[in-house]
Amino acid sequence: MADCIFCKIAKKEIPSTVVYEDEQVIAFKDLEPQAPVHVLVIPKKHVESVLALQAEDKELMGHILCEVMPKLAKDLGVDAKGFRVVVNTGEDGNQTVKHLHFHLLGGRSMQWPPG
Ligand code: AMP
Ligand code: ZN
């Protein structure tokens, strides 16, 4: 999508610190980290949010959650103590970038409930 900042990151049209990449997925460091480890995992194809996912995206979502996320947690050293995966969605979810992204946060103890 032309005006989407995360599509531009996926296409390397704007810089980011990439920590993982494959054909379908890219993960990069959040610009304003909220924890010692804070990366964003996104599908390279533009999907606006969880609400825009289609049945055909099941494999891609399974890949992100079942394969990419645990690999990243291990590679980033947060698997032993734990971490949080967050998907902000829509206005009340405080989603600011309208390209589906999974926050992986770790390296400190998290609070509950989130603000
Ligand atoms: P959300 O509020 O869930 O939509 O999260 C958007 C996230 O994207 C925020 O944590 C921002 O800090 C992050 N962000 C925005 N622009 C960039 C960028 N160019 N590179 C890395 N992270 C970004
Ligand atoms: Zn996009």
Side-chain angles (χ1 to χ4, degrees), residues 38-78:
H38 187 175
V39 306
L40 301 172
V41 183
I42 68 167
K44 285 185 172 175
K45 77 166 191 172
H46 184 85
V47 178
E48 182 170 323
S49 78
V50 164
L51 292 170
L53 288 167
Q54 304 290 315
E56 68 198 32
D57 298 316
K58 280 182 188 173
E59 193 186 329
L60 174 58
M61 293 301 105
H63 175 50
I64 288 176
L65 282 175
C66 302
E67 294 165 345
V68 177
M69 212 54 90
K71 174 182 167 40
L72 272 173
K74 285 175 200 148
D75 290 352
L76 297 168
V78 295

Side-chain angles (χ1 to χ4, degrees), residues 73-109:
K74 285 175 200 148
D75 290 352
L76 297 168
V78 295
D79 56 318
K81 290 204 77 181
F83 57 94
R84 186 170 285 175
V85 176
V86 175
V87 185
N88 295 326
T89 305
E91 188 183 345
D92 277 0
N94 201 21
Q95 180 182 5
T96 59
V97 177
K98 306 288 187 260
H99 179 131
L100 176 64
H101 50 282
F102 296 75
H103 295 257
L104 191 167
L105 297 136
R108 68 170 170 83
S109 179

Side-chain angles (χ1 to χ4, degrees), residues 17-32:
T17 306
V18 176
V19 297
Y20 174 84
E21 182 171 14
D22 63 30
E23 227 171 71
Q24 296 178 293
V25 174
I26 188 164
F28 50 94
K29 290 190 179 177
D30 197 294
L31 260 191
E32 294 180 40

